[in-house]
Amino acid sequence: MSPSSAQRLNLTGLAITVVTVVCAILWAFPIYWGIVSSLKPDDEVVRPYIELWPDTLTFEHYIFALTETQIGYWYLNSIATALGVTILTIGTSIFAGYAISQLDFPLRRTLWWLILASFMVPLQVLIINHFVLMANMGLLNTWAGIILPQLIHPVVIIVYKQFFDQVPKDFREAAIMDNASEWRILFKVYIPMNWGVTAALSIVTFIWAWNAFLWPFLAVTKTSLMTVTVGITQTNDSFGVYYASELAAAVLAGLPVALAYLLFQRRVTEAITLSAGIKG
């Protein structure tokens, strides 16, 4: 490689690094601003100019969120509903992916194309139908009413279907020769080969369910049943919006997700890569 080519390569690498750092700063600044603002007194938050650090550092808004709100109940509701969504989504997606991949039944290809076509329908379009259905079933203001409409994740079915397709046919044929049932083939042969995929999809599904706002906001009106993403809106009152207190509650709401991402970063990245590859 000539010196001029090496120099151009170094300049290109430097430019990419600079752009990446700038983008990272732009992405992280709102998070930093929210955390810093939650540590300011109310009068500093509403100042008309930007302060990168509070003049007076205070934790009163966090104390207010922890002691004067029902954030403990909101945490429990979020954990329960997010776990419910994750378990049911992963369970049903495994069965659906295995059936479409390995079993022969009428309208199999039609079902597969319908699942693929569901990407064209935004979930927000179904909100009214979900609300009417849950109301008619008497499931509003219940955990079931929060969980059931959030079980639509075609991408999870597609990921499982693709991975089941990649399992060599010899394993299935050997299990059939041993008179293994479909249940045994699924749980003893296919699922153990995909534990990594299951772990990655479970983490991402849990995070998605934890962060869900629109449907839980519509499905629940009782404060004690709200998830944490909906509950943080209750830090306001009739006298106005308490920005710092709301930001403190938002930081507390996002803390479990941030910790989960730090602990399972590789799995989350793997699942996002799988999803992006399918959507692409």
Side-chain angles (χ1 to χ4, degrees), residues 4-196:
S4 58
S5 299
Q7 186 177 8
R8 285 196 299 269
L9 185 61
N10 290 335
L11 290 175
T12 301
L14 178 61
I16 293 174
T17 301
V18 171
V19 171
T20 302
V21 171
V22 171
C23 291
I25 293 173
L26 292 175
W27 178 86
F29 182 76
I31 300 176
Y32 169 80
W33 181 255
I35 295 174
V36 168
S37 297
S38 68
L39 297 171
K40 295 179 180 180
D42 287 315
D43 60 327
E44 289 188 32
V45 175
V46 295
R47 287 177 180 175
Y49 51 87
I50 296 177
E51 291 181 323
L52 296 179
W53 190 255
D55 294 336
T56 304
L57 194 67
T58 178
F59 292 93
E60 62 179 345
H61 306 297
Y62 288 91
I63 296 173
F64 171 83
L66 292 171
T67 60
E68 301 298 327
T69 69
Q70 300 186 46
I71 195 168
Y73 288 105
W74 301 338
Y75 267 122
L76 292 176
N77 293 335
S78 288
I79 292 172
T81 55
L83 282 176
V85 170
T86 302
I87 293 171
L88 292 175
T89 297
I90 296 299
T92 55
S93 298
I94 286 175
F95 296 145
Y98 178 78
I100 295 172
S101 173
Q102 301 299 320
L103 304 183
D104 188 15
F105 56 90
L107 301 179
R108 171 188 170 194
R109 291 188 62 84
T110 302
L111 177 61
W112 173 238
W113 284 110
L114 286 174
I115 293 174
L116 292 177
S118 63
F119 280 116
M120 301 173 62
V121 182
L123 292 180
Q124 290 79 2
V125 175
L126 305 175
I127 287 293
I128 296 177
N129 293 335
H130 288 163
F131 187 86
V132 173
L133 178 61
M134 293 298 107
N136 291 336
M137 296 176 65
L139 294 179
L140 296 179
N141 285 312
T142 65
W143 283 356
I146 299 174
I147 293 172
L148 292 177
Q150 297 189 73
L151 301 182
I152 304 173
H153 291 279
V155 66
V156 182
I157 298 176
I158 297 170
V159 168
Y160 274 118
K161 194 265 184 187
Q162 287 193 336
F163 272 84
F164 290 150
D165 285 345
Q166 295 174 6
V167 176
K169 298 295 184 182
D170 295 342
F171 290 94
R172 176 176 173 81
E173 293 173 358
I176 292 175
M177 291 180 64
D178 289 338
N179 295 321
S181 64
E182 292 294 346
W183 291 98
R184 187 174 180 183
I185 295 173
L186 173 61
F187 286 101
K188 296 294 184 180
V189 178
Y190 283 84
I191 291 180
M193 293 182 180
N194 294 279
W195 279 125

